[in-house]
mmCIF file with all atom_site columns, all heavy atoms in Angstrom:
data_model
loop_
_atom_site.group_PDB
_atom_site.id
_atom_site.type_symbol
_atom_site.label_atom_id
_atom_site.label_alt_id
_atom_site.label_comp_id
_atom_site.label_asym_id
_atom_site.label_entity_id
_atom_site.label_seq_id
_atom_site.pdbx_PDB_ins_code
_atom_site.Cartn_x
_atom_site.Cartn_y
_atom_site.Cartn_z
_atom_site.occupancy
_atom_site.B_iso_or_equiv
_atom_site.pdbx_formal_charge
_atom_site.auth_seq_id
_atom_site.auth_comp_id
_atom_site.auth_asym_id
_atom_site.auth_atom_id
_atom_site.pdbx_PDB_model_num
ATOM 1  N N   . ARG A 1 253 ? 106.550 320.894 19.013 1.00 98.00 ? 267 ARG A N   1
ATOM 2  C CA  . ARG A 1 253 ? 107.109 320.293 17.780 1.00 98.00 ? 267 ARG A CA  1
ATOM 3  C C   . ARG A 1 253 ? 108.619 320.110 17.911 1.00 98.00 ? 267 ARG A C   1
ATOM 4  O O   . ARG A 1 253 ? 109.170 319.102 17.492 1.00 98.00 ? 267 ARG A O   1
ATOM 5  C CB  . ARG A 1 253 ? 106.820 321.179 16.563 1.00 98.00 ? 267 ARG A CB  1
ATOM 6  C CG  . ARG A 1 253 ? 105.390 321.136 16.172 1.00 98.00 ? 267 ARG A CG  1
ATOM 7  C CD  . ARG A 1 253 ? 105.133 321.437 14.681 1.00 98.00 ? 267 ARG A CD  1
ATOM 8  N NE  . ARG A 1 253 ? 103.689 321.415 14.480 1.00 98.00 ? 267 ARG A NE  1
ATOM 9  C CZ  . ARG A 1 253 ? 102.956 320.304 14.430 1.00 98.00 ? 267 ARG A CZ  1
ATOM 10 N NH1 . ARG A 1 253 ? 103.529 319.119 14.525 1.00 98.00 ? 267 ARG A NH1 1
ATOM 11 N NH2 . ARG A 1 253 ? 101.643 320.376 14.284 1.00 98.00 ? 267 ARG A NH2 1
ATOM 12 N N   . ARG A 1 254 ? 109.266 321.105 18.483 1.00 98.00 ? 268 ARG A N   1
ATOM 13 C CA  . ARG A 1 254 ? 110.718 321.030 18.660 1.00 98.00 ? 268 ARG A CA  1
ATOM 14 C C   . ARG A 1 254 ? 111.081 319.803 19.525 1.00 98.00 ? 268 ARG A C   1
ATOM 15 O O   . ARG A 1 254 ? 111.964 319.018 19.182 1.00 98.00 ? 268 ARG A O   1
ATOM 16 C CB  . ARG A 1 254 ? 111.198 322.327 19.336 1.00 98.00 ? 268 ARG A CB  1
ATOM 17 C CG  . ARG A 1 254 ? 112.678 322.433 19.603 1.00 98.00 ? 268 ARG A CG  1
ATOM 18 C CD  . ARG A 1 254 ? 113.011 323.747 20.324 1.00 98.00 ? 268 ARG A CD  1
ATOM 19 N NE  . ARG A 1 254 ? 112.176 324.028 21.503 1.00 98.00 ? 268 ARG A NE  1
ATOM 20 C CZ  . ARG A 1 254 ? 112.342 323.476 22.709 1.00 98.00 ? 268 ARG A CZ  1
ATOM 21 N NH1 . ARG A 1 254 ? 113.317 322.625 22.904 1.00 98.00 ? 268 ARG A NH1 1
ATOM 22 N NH2 . ARG A 1 254 ? 111.539 323.791 23.706 1.00 98.00 ? 268 ARG A NH2 1
ATOM 23 N N   . VAL A 1 255 ? 110.339 319.628 20.620 1.00 98.00 ? 269 VAL A N   1
ATOM 24 C CA  . VAL A 1 255 ? 110.615 318.482 21.507 1.00 98.00 ? 269 VAL A CA  1
ATOM 25 C C   . VAL A 1 255 ? 110.317 317.180 20.772 1.00 98.00 ? 269 VAL A C   1
ATOM 26 O O   . VAL A 1 255 ? 111.129 316.239 20.775 1.00 98.00 ? 269 VAL A O   1
ATOM 27 C CB  . VAL A 1 255 ? 109.766 318.579 22.812 1.00 98.00 ? 269 VAL A CB  1
ATOM 28 C CG1 . VAL A 1 255 ? 109.933 317.329 23.663 1.00 98.00 ? 269 VAL A CG1 1
ATOM 29 C CG2 . VAL A 1 255 ? 110.145 319.829 23.593 1.00 98.00 ? 269 VAL A CG2 1
ATOM 30 N N   . ALA A 1 256 ? 109.159 317.129 20.121 1.00 98.00 ? 270 ALA A N   1
ATOM 31 C CA  . ALA A 1 256 ? 108.749 315.889 19.441 1.00 98.00 ? 270 ALA A CA  1
ATOM 32 C C   . ALA A 1 256 ? 109.741 315.513 18.340 1.00 98.00 ? 270 ALA A C   1
ATOM 33 O O   . ALA A 1 256 ? 110.122 314.346 18.206 1.00 98.00 ? 270 ALA A O   1
ATOM 34 C CB  . ALA A 1 256 ? 107.347 316.055 18.873 1.00 98.00 ? 270 ALA A CB  1
ATOM 35 N N   . GLU A 1 257 ? 110.162 316.499 17.575 1.00 98.00 ? 271 GLU A N   1
ATOM 36 C CA  . GLU A 1 257 ? 111.103 316.207 16.481 1.00 98.00 ? 271 GLU A CA  1
ATOM 37 C C   . GLU A 1 257 ? 112.414 315.657 17.026 1.00 98.00 ? 271 GLU A C   1
ATOM 38 O O   . GLU A 1 257 ? 112.971 314.693 16.506 1.00 98.00 ? 271 GLU A O   1
ATOM 39 C CB  . GLU A 1 257 ? 111.365 317.463 15.648 1.00 98.00 ? 271 GLU A CB  1
ATOM 40 C CG  . GLU A 1 257 ? 110.384 317.579 14.487 1.00 98.00 ? 271 GLU A CG  1
ATOM 41 C CD  . GLU A 1 257 ? 110.373 318.967 13.862 1.00 98.00 ? 271 GLU A CD  1
ATOM 42 O OE1 . GLU A 1 257 ? 111.440 319.622 13.853 1.00 98.00 ? 271 GLU A OE1 1
ATOM 43 O OE2 . GLU A 1 257 ? 109.277 319.386 13.422 1.00 98.00 ? 271 GLU A OE2 1
ATOM 44 N N   . ARG A 1 258 ? 112.894 316.289 18.086 1.00 98.00 ? 272 ARG A N   1
ATOM 45 C CA  . ARG A 1 258 ? 114.150 315.835 18.689 1.00 98.00 ? 272 ARG A CA  1
ATOM 46 C C   . ARG A 1 258 ? 114.047 314.384 19.161 1.00 98.00 ? 272 ARG A C   1
ATOM 47 O O   . ARG A 1 258 ? 115.016 313.629 19.108 1.00 98.00 ? 272 ARG A O   1
ATOM 48 C CB  . ARG A 1 258 ? 114.489 316.762 19.871 1.00 98.00 ? 272 ARG A CB  1
ATOM 49 C CG  . ARG A 1 258 ? 115.741 316.409 20.628 1.00 98.00 ? 272 ARG A CG  1
ATOM 50 C CD  . ARG A 1 258 ? 116.271 317.631 21.391 1.00 98.00 ? 272 ARG A CD  1
ATOM 51 N NE  . ARG A 1 258 ? 115.266 318.354 22.146 1.00 98.00 ? 272 ARG A NE  1
ATOM 52 C CZ  . ARG A 1 258 ? 114.901 318.070 23.391 1.00 98.00 ? 272 ARG A CZ  1
ATOM 53 N NH1 . ARG A 1 258 ? 115.453 317.078 24.025 1.00 98.00 ? 272 ARG A NH1 1
ATOM 54 N NH2 . ARG A 1 258 ? 113.982 318.789 24.001 1.00 98.00 ? 272 ARG A NH2 1
ATOM 55 N N   . LEU A 1 259 ? 112.849 313.988 19.598 1.00 98.00 ? 273 LEU A N   1
ATOM 56 C CA  . LEU A 1 259 ? 112.682 312.661 20.181 1.00 98.00 ? 273 LEU A CA  1
ATOM 57 C C   . LEU A 1 259 ? 112.089 311.660 19.187 1.00 98.00 ? 273 LEU A C   1
ATOM 58 O O   . LEU A 1 259 ? 111.779 310.520 19.552 1.00 98.00 ? 273 LEU A O   1
ATOM 59 C CB  . LEU A 1 259 ? 111.790 312.750 21.423 1.00 98.00 ? 273 LEU A CB  1
ATOM 60 C CG  . LEU A 1 259 ? 112.286 313.731 22.508 1.00 98.00 ? 273 LEU A CG  1
ATOM 61 C CD1 . LEU A 1 259 ? 111.294 313.819 23.653 1.00 98.00 ? 273 LEU A CD1 1
ATOM 62 C CD2 . LEU A 1 259 ? 113.658 313.297 23.030 1.00 98.00 ? 273 LEU A CD2 1
ATOM 63 N N   . GLY A 1 260 ? 111.898 312.115 17.948 1.00 98.00 ? 274 GLY A N   1
ATOM 64 C CA  . GLY A 1 260 ? 111.318 311.225 16.934 1.00 98.00 ? 274 GLY A CA  1
ATOM 65 C C   . GLY A 1 260 ? 109.866 310.878 17.235 1.00 98.00 ? 274 GLY A C   1
ATOM 66 O O   . GLY A 1 260 ? 109.378 309.815 16.863 1.00 98.00 ? 274 GLY A O   1
ATOM 67 N N   . GLY A 1 261 ? 109.171 311.796 17.893 1.00 98.00 ? 275 GLY A N   1
ATOM 68 C CA  . GLY A 1 261 ? 107.772 311.535 18.246 1.00 98.00 ? 275 GLY A CA  1
ATOM 69 C C   . GLY A 1 261 ? 106.822 312.459 17.510 1.00 98.00 ? 275 GLY A C   1
ATOM 70 O O   . GLY A 1 261 ? 107.154 313.018 16.463 1.00 98.00 ? 275 GLY A O   1
ATOM 71 N N   . LEU A 1 262 ? 105.653 312.635 18.097 1.00 98.00 ? 276 LEU A N   1
ATOM 72 C CA  . LEU A 1 262 ? 104.586 313.427 17.488 1.00 98.00 ? 276 LEU A CA  1
ATOM 73 C C   . LEU A 1 262 ? 104.208 314.579 18.407 1.00 98.00 ? 276 LEU A C   1
ATOM 74 O O   . LEU A 1 262 ? 104.208 314.397 19.629 1.00 98.00 ? 276 LEU A O   1
ATOM 75 C CB  . LEU A 1 262 ? 103.324 312.582 17.389 1.00 98.00 ? 276 LEU A CB  1
ATOM 76 C CG  . LEU A 1 262 ? 103.096 311.662 16.221 1.00 98.00 ? 276 LEU A CG  1
ATOM 77 C CD1 . LEU A 1 262 ? 101.816 310.874 16.481 1.00 98.00 ? 276 LEU A CD1 1
ATOM 78 C CD2 . LEU A 1 262 ? 102.941 312.506 14.956 1.00 98.00 ? 276 LEU A CD2 1
ATOM 79 N N   . ALA A 1 263 ? 103.866 315.732 17.817 1.00 98.00 ? 277 ALA A N   1
ATOM 80 C CA  . ALA A 1 263 ? 103.319 316.825 18.632 1.00 98.00 ? 277 ALA A CA  1
ATOM 81 C C   . ALA A 1 263 ? 101.805 316.822 18.481 1.00 98.00 ? 277 ALA A C   1
ATOM 82 O O   . ALA A 1 263 ? 101.284 316.556 17.402 1.00 98.00 ? 277 ALA A O   1
ATOM 83 C CB  . ALA A 1 263 ? 103.900 318.157 18.176 1.00 98.00 ? 277 ALA A CB  1
ATOM 84 N N   . LEU A 1 264 ? 101.111 317.085 19.579 1.00 98.00 ? 278 LEU A N   1
ATOM 85 C CA  . LEU A 1 264 ? 99.653  317.151 19.525 1.00 98.00 ? 278 LEU A CA  1
ATOM 86 C C   . LEU A 1 264 ? 99.207  318.451 20.186 1.00 98.00 ? 278 LEU A C   1
ATOM 87 O O   . LEU A 1 264 ? 99.090  318.525 21.414 1.00 98.00 ? 278 LEU A O   1
ATOM 88 C CB  . LEU A 1 264 ? 99.050  315.933 20.240 1.00 98.00 ? 278 LEU A CB  1
ATOM 89 C CG  . LEU A 1 264 ? 97.524  315.793 20.215 1.00 98.00 ? 278 LEU A CG  1
ATOM 90 C CD1 . LEU A 1 264 ? 96.980  315.808 18.797 1.00 98.00 ? 278 LEU A CD1 1
ATOM 91 C CD2 . LEU A 1 264 ? 97.101  314.508 20.931 1.00 98.00 ? 278 LEU A CD2 1
ATOM 92 N N   . PRO A 1 265 ? 98.999  319.509 19.353 1.00 98.00 ? 279 PRO A N   1
ATOM 93 C CA  . PRO A 1 265 ? 98.554  320.772 19.944 1.00 98.00 ? 279 PRO A CA  1
ATOM 94 C C   . PRO A 1 265 ? 97.094  320.664 20.369 1.00 98.00 ? 279 PRO A C   1
ATOM 95 O O   . PRO A 1 265 ? 96.225  320.422 19.532 1.00 98.00 ? 279 PRO A O   1
ATOM 96 C CB  . PRO A 1 265 ? 98.722  321.790 18.798 1.00 98.00 ? 279 PRO A CB  1
ATOM 97 C CG  . PRO A 1 265 ? 98.958  321.002 17.557 1.00 98.00 ? 279 PRO A CG  1
ATOM 98 C CD  . PRO A 1 265 ? 99.167  319.570 17.901 1.00 98.00 ? 279 PRO A CD  1
#
Side-chain angles (χ1 to χ4, degrees):
R267 288 206 183 285
R268 180 182 50 79
V269 174
E271 269 165 32
R272 178 158 47 87
L273 304 176
L276 275 175
L278 183 55

